Amino acid sequence: DKLSQAPEGDAPVGGSACFQRLLGAARQVAMSDVPLLLLGESGTGKEVLARYAHELSPFSKGPLVSINCGALPGELLESELFGHERGAFTGATNARVGKIASAASGTLFLDEVGEMTPSCQTRFLRVLQTGEIQRVGSDRTTYVKFRLIAATNQDLRARIEQGLFREDLYYRLAVVPLTLPTLAERGDDILLLAQHFLCEYARSQRRAPPRLAADARRALVAHGWPGNVRELENAMRRALVFATGDSVALEHLPPELGGARLLDAPGPREGRFAG
């Protein structure tokens, strides 16, 4: 049964032709030290693929250090990436090692790299050109060797035209660009991934994983999955909460897939919590 063939751990799950081609390309790139740029919609699994490439690479004995460039304002992002000296800015009461230095001999994963501020882009481009970093508030440079993987769900070429992203940095990042397919494009992987997530979360709850009933399978395949793999994962987490038996049926899925709404779900029996 294909649904029983989901790999363990962080290995990407999927048997569709387009996804297998992607994994094949990722395996080839992983063995080199060139930057890898992962493109695709939000929720398609870019971070999972980044971890996969790191684990197969010559840098796998080093750490995988991740940072979300869209989650931090400009000055704070520079401090997080490059580190800072004590007193470099208000609130810098202690010196701090940055993410780039922490990724030495390992991999630096820049998620949402399209959100990086122009100032930070300029500083990071110099790192890629020279391998040298300077902490915020310091004149001293140090050399760092690391593998770079970046990811974005944005059109970086469009951002270049808008003056929001440096073209020279883009070409440094996009030595090997790989585009992740949407979940809707992956066909049978929908059911494979659904069963994988059920097994993962059931294992964490020390219960037997339920099977997918026929009506649930039909609903999963028919859905458009605008949130991609992340949406599917959350749907399976929800289903496991409401499926107390040995199968997940349509009623256990989220309302947008045809499942019951929470307000329609049966409540506790009257007097259950009475003193």
Side-chain angles (χ1 to χ4, degrees), residues 170-186:
Y170 169 77
Y171 286 117
R172 286 277 182 174
L173 296 177
V175 176
V176 179
L178 295 180
T179 301
L180 280 75
T182 65
L183 183 55
E185 294 171 327
R186 293 175 57 179

Side-chain angles (χ1 to χ4, degrees), residues 224-260:
W225 299 109
N228 293 295
V229 179
R230 187 178 297 122
E231 181 187 0
L232 175 60
E233 180 176 6
N234 289 334
M236 292 303 98
R237 291 185 72 179
R238 180 193 194 277
L240 202 59
V241 170
F242 293 105
T244 56
D246 61 357
S247 68
V248 168
L250 178 62
E251 63 183 295
H252 303 132
L253 299 179
E256 57 268 24
L257 275 75

Side-chain angles (χ1 to χ4, degrees), residues 114-118 121 156 158-166:
E115 298 291 338
M116 187 180 283
T117 62
Q121 291 176 39
L156 292 184
R159 289 184 70 80
I160 291 170
E161 293 176 1
Q162 296 163 8
L164 298 174
F165 203 82
R166 294 185 60 123

